[in-house]
Amino acid sequence: MKVALINPPASRIIYGNEYKLKSIIPCLGLFYLQSYCKDIADIEIFEGEFYSDLEHFINAIKAFNPDIIGITSNTSTYPLCVQIAESVDAKVKAVGGPYSSFRVSESLETFDVVFIGDSEVSFRMLLERQPLETIPSIAFKEPTGAVVRTDNACLPPLDSIPFPDHSKIQLGLYQASPHRKLQEPFATMITTRGCGFKCSFCLSAKGGMNDGKYRERSVANVVQELELLTTEFGVKSVQFWDDTFTMRRDRTKELCSEIKKLGIEFVCNTRTDKIDSEIANWLADAGCRGVFFGVESGDQYILDLDMHKGAKNEQVKNAIEYCKETGMWSTASFIFGSINDTEESIQDTVNFAVELDADYVLFNIYTAHPGTYGYMEALRQSIIDEYKVDLERWLDEPVGIPTICKNLSRQQLHKLKAEAYVKYYTHRGADKYRDIIKTYQEEILRLSNALA
């Protein structure tokens, strides 16, 4: 049995002119599916990032001649998922990932099976040809057209899932953004899944994928994979993509102690209320060079009302300071365009960012993903309808998706974002951040021409 696991070419579509400033990383979810099922099928992963265009990508999948295709769906890439599925002959066409998990009926217009949430167990059962009605956490149509959604699966312990096949990942094809760039070769890993906080924009939050359930790999299991990467692939640095790397204090201490023995560098993500001076010292001593924080807004009212972050901006100031004290660089990420954001609150956010003086910033436009609280609230307030992703109608971030800000247009948000980048990095030092400043100066010019 031949199985094609497919990740559509997302980055150039989602990031556009910002592409060179963003991380391009492996779709670890597909690599975990492959490792979990590799003993019962011939499974090939197709990463859309590495093909010159969609036509060449589809032709490569066709040449493999799969019996089953499984496509991972994100909100902005869903139209590509449909196009790929309609272009490739296969006995079974399956889709999973965040978008399809929350748009089951729409997905079943094109696909035979929808996998909802983490899918290692259920996908293996499909490959074993078990009856669909016995496979947990899926949806499918009966011959009558009725949609059947099976009960949720019991999520397996993360240590029971084999490591991804790093021989297919460590090929030097992926890209680190400036704020994650370390010694090469680098690897990407996750040591936990889920988060369980209530951020309104996040699919790892409570109510999102797998209801946000937080799960951990054991420290021993993580170290075993790190040892494999360093000894067999010569990896010198790691990007940890856990939503909250320092979620549990005792585990963080133990993990840092073990990573230190390996002599590698790493970067990670965490919340500003999940770091203090002691944790920062553990991280830095273990080889952490940078920490990414989701700050979201410098306006506490917006942070509480729209973002549901559950953190205070005083904690943000402390978190950035802990990084400075320990010699780690910091990245502060912000979101413009939540429901009640205004030009004033966005300017407050930019001023707050300048005050923080993190080494790097990200300014993003709020994306109302199906499955998030923000999406449901925008529906409730009739700001949006149950849109279908349209890559021609809604250009630039969020690509293919309507914005939800009541007070600012899409074009205003894009301009404010580009101006914020130029202001921030000019403040930080024009020489060091020349490429970033140039990218957004060009973006301002493009936007001005488009409005002229």
Side-chain angles (χ1 to χ4, degrees), residues 166-179:
H166 287 288
S167 69
K168 301 291 180 63
I169 299 175
Q170 294 307 127
L171 301 174
L173 298 174
Y174 296 98
Q175 171 181 307
S177 59
H179 65 277

Side-chain angles (χ1 to χ4, degrees), residues 33 71 94-98 100-104 107-108 112-126 130-141 147-156 193 208-211 213 215:
L33 275 183
I71 306 179
V95 68
S100 290
S101 290
F102 293 100
R103 287 288 182 89
V104 168
S107 299
L108 287 173
D112 303 307
V113 185
V114 176
F115 288 83
I116 301 166
D118 286 9
S119 301
E120 284 90 356
V121 171
S122 51
F123 194 71
R124 185 180 177 92
M125 292 175 71
L126 177 77
Q130 298 196 32
L132 291 181
E133 62 271 16
T134 69
I135 301 175
S137 297
I138 66 167
F140 61 94
K141 280 185 178 179
V147 173
V148 175
R149 180 166 175 162
T150 61
D151 292 338
N152 291 338
C154 293
L155 298 171
R193 296 188 189 182
M209 294 286 282
N210 307 304
D211 198 30
K213 184 177 180 180
R215 293 176 291 153

Side-chain angles (χ1 to χ4, degrees), residues 248-385:
R248 276 203 313 116
R249 189 180 197 88
D250 290 348
R251 180 180 185 271
T252 302
K253 183 178 182 180
E254 182 185 359
L255 185 55
C256 285
S257 176
E258 293 300 321
I259 294 175
K260 181 180 178 180
K261 299 172 185 177
L262 299 174
I264 59 172
E265 297 181 332
F266 66 95
V267 290
C268 64
N269 313 318
T270 197
R271 290 172 54 95
T272 57
D273 56 0
K274 287 293 182 179
I275 191 170
D276 56 27
S277 180
E278 188 174 37
I279 291 173
N281 275 291
W282 294 340
L283 291 170
D285 190 49
C288 184
R289 298 292 176 256
V291 184
F292 175 101
F293 299 104
V295 181
E296 321 319 348
S297 178
D299 185 306
Q300 191 68 53
Y301 176 76
I302 294 295
L303 195 65
D304 295 339
L305 177 66
D306 284 356
M307 304 295 187
H308 298 186
K309 188 71 181 180
K312 301 298 181 184
N313 277 335
E314 193 61 37
Q315 294 170 312
V316 177
K317 296 176 185 178
N318 292 337
I320 301 298
E321 192 58 36
Y322 298 141
C323 289
K324 291 178 180 178
E325 290 172 354
T326 52
M328 297 183 293
W329 70 70
S330 57
T331 301
S333 179
F334 300 90
I335 299 175
F336 295 170
S338 62
I339 289 176
N340 294 290
D341 231 348
T342 63
E343 186 165 353
E344 181 181 8
S345 63
I346 287 174
Q347 292 303 335
D348 287 345
T349 293
V350 176
N351 292 336
F352 182 62
V354 170
E355 178 188 350
L356 289 175
D357 198 35
D359 296 275
Y360 296 95
V361 291
L362 294 179
F363 296 115
N364 308 288
I365 308 297
Y366 196 108
T367 302
H369 294 288
T372 62
Y373 176 88
Y375 170 79
M376 295 303 298
E377 183 62 16
L379 278 179
R380 189 188 71 79
Q381 295 190 33
S382 300
I383 299 169
I384 60 172
D385 58 14

Side-chain angles (χ1 to χ4, degrees), residues 3-8 30 33 67-73 78 81-82 84-85 88 90-97 100 107-108 110-116 119 122-123 126-127 132 138-140:
V3 179
L5 296 178
I6 301 164
N7 183 27
L30 294 186
L33 275 183
D67 300 294
I68 296 174
I69 61 170
I71 306 179
T72 187
S73 66
Y78 186 71
C81 299
V82 172
I84 293 165
V88 177
K91 296 174 183 175
V92 177
K93 298 179 181 182
V95 68
S100 290
S107 299
L108 287 173
T110 302
F111 294 92
D112 303 307
V113 185
V114 176
F115 288 83
I116 301 166
S119 301
S122 51
F123 194 71
L126 177 77
L127 299 190
L132 291 181
I138 66 167
F140 61 94

Side-chain angles (χ1 to χ4, degrees), residues 1-5 30 33-46 64 123 127 165 168:
M1 181 193 306
K2 299 176 75 174
V3 179
L5 296 178
L30 294 186
L33 275 183
Q34 181 190 49
S35 68
Y36 199 77
C37 303
K38 63 184 179 183
D39 59 318
I40 58 173
D42 175 13
I43 303 175
E44 189 75 24
I45 293 176
F46 292 85
F64 180 62
F123 194 71
L127 299 190
D165 183 354
K168 301 291 180 63

